[in-house]
Amino acid sequence: MLSLSGKKILITGASSGIGKAIVEQAAEIGAKVVLMARREELMSEIVAGLKGDGHQYFAVDASDDNKVGASLKLAVSDGVPFDGFVHAAGSELTVPLKMLSRNAFEKVMSINTFAAFNISKILIQKGNFSLGGGAFVFIGSVMAALGQPAKTGYCASKGALMAGARAMALELAPKRIRVNTILPGMVKSEMSLGLLDSLDESGVKRIVEMHPLGIGEVTDVANVALFLLSDLGRWITGTSLWVDGGYSAM
Ligand SMILES: NC(=O)c1ccc[n+]([C@@H]2O[C@H](COP(=O)([O-])OP(=O)(O)OC[C@H]3O[C@@H](n4cnc5c(N)ncnc54)[C@H](OP(=O)(O)O)[C@@H]3O)[C@@H](O)[C@H]2O)c1
């Protein structure tokens, strides 16, 4: 049975969309969740509505290595290490190559990619992660493996995340820490609704048609993250799961 009973899980991007759905569903099946994002009021409201107790949140920029380090130190100061980590924080970047600035490229890499690896690095330090192992789940994108015009920076950030996760999975297997990436197609969230709003009717129709099962819900991705975090996923590591309503089958 799917359960995260007694597991302590860190979730970045916890204030909205996919991350928020993972927070709510994980708490529902028994996890103690630690939320990380920048918008404090949203996380405070989310935590107030969660099932169970002992949940925490940290209002920090997940790409700020020093602040993240200090927050995680505080999060384990109760002597209870983490059993899982989901990196759902991320930002979207749609800009033609000729206008792609170094700054914008570094920014998208910083939150989508470097933050995931830095947090993983902190979590494997002594006392921070369960000696019995656990799971890291990175929210990538179909764009990790498929291209689209004006997405060089975004695709690069997600491709690097997926590739790094594979290497990390091999390195951390002796510690029984499983590392996997989820590759979602378009699901309804703040990020995608902003993008859809910017398109005309034919543009929206084209995106819908790219998903044989239609555009997804954040819970469709959260369900897979929970499975990977749980013991049901105990023999899965170093892989990438397409959760895309059939987008990549075309
Ligand atoms: N929605 C889609 O269709 C879709 C498809 C494929 C992949 N994805 C990926 O799924 C992940 C989640 O996206 P979403 O759709 O759930 O979008 P969302 O609703 O916009 O959520 C993004 C989350 O990331 C957090 N975040 C952004 N920058 C941050 C930073 N520097 N530090 C800490 N937190 C930060 C945001 O919180 P704050 O603003 O409070 O910091 C928010 O909680 C992203 O990696 C995205 O690339 C989404």
Side-chain angles (χ1 to χ4, degrees):
M1 213 180 67
L2 188 62
S3 167
L4 290 177
S5 185
K7 307 246 190 225
K8 184 168 177 176
I9 314 282
L10 171 68
I11 299 145
T12 64
S15 62
S16 72
I18 294 170
K20 178 184 172 191
I22 295 170
V23 163
E24 291 174 339
Q25 292 184 206
E28 201 59 42
I29 58 169
K32 296 252 178 275
V33 285
V34 177
L35 293 73
M36 187 176 283
R38 293 163 301 182
R39 287 172 292 175
E40 184 161 10
E41 317 83 70
L42 291 181
M43 289 190 291
S44 155
E45 275 170 33
I46 293 167
V47 166
L50 291 178
K51 185 173 172 182
D53 50 23
H55 310 299
Q56 307 175 62
Y57 65 85
F58 293 92
V60 291
D61 182 333
S63 63
D64 183 328
D65 295 359
N66 291 330
K67 287 197 177 138
V68 168
S71 302
L72 295 182
K73 198 169 168 190
L74 217 58
V76 295
S77 60
D78 58 1
V80 182
F82 285 99
D83 303 283
F85 162 43
V86 181
H87 186 60
S91 67
E92 209 273 324
L93 181 65
T94 305
V95 54
L97 181 61
K98 63 182 176 194
M99 291 166 70
L100 177 60
S101 68
R102 174 84 180 211
N103 187 40
F105 197 179
E106 283 180 356
K107 216 166 150 201
V108 76
M109 290 294 298
S110 189
I111 185 61
N112 291 3
T113 320
F114 303 153
F117 299 155
N118 178 57
I119 292 171
S120 302
K121 188 175 151 188
I122 296 172
L123 287 177
I124 60 169
Q125 287 167 8
K126 197 164 183 277
N128 289 350
F129 208 79
S130 164
L131 293 176
F136 294 171
V137 178
F138 300 151
I139 307 299
S141 165
V142 290
M143 294 294 134
L146 305 172
Q148 213 172 72
K151 296 277 194 196
T152 301
Y154 184 71
C155 289
S157 73
K158 296 297 189 177
L161 180 68
M162 180 173 72
R166 267 197 304 266
M168 204 189 287
L170 299 178
E171 190 169 330
L172 300 186
K175 293 183 188 292
R176 309 302 297 175
I177 299 175
R178 298 177 291 101
V179 187
N180 294 289
T181 310
I182 296 177
L183 310 179
M186 187 173 276
V187 297
K188 287 174 216 148
S189 72
E190 270 179 31
M191 185 182 283
S192 58
L193 293 177
L195 192 76
L196 288 172
D197 281 348
S198 69
L199 299 172
D200 61 15
E201 207 179 309
S202 68
V204 173
K205 188 165 173 273
R206 202 167 42 83
I207 290 191
V208 174
E209 284 170 359
M210 286 160 90
H211 297 78
L213 294 180
I215 290 178
E217 303 291 337
V218 287
T219 48
D220 294 324
V221 179
N223 290 337
V224 180
L226 294 196
F227 169 74
L228 289 170
L229 287 169
S230 79
D231 291 339
L232 295 182
R234 64 187 287 275
W235 207 48
I236 305 176
T237 198
T239 196
S240 311
L241 273 81
W242 300 93
V243 181
D244 64 356
Y247 184 109
S248 57
M250 292 206 275

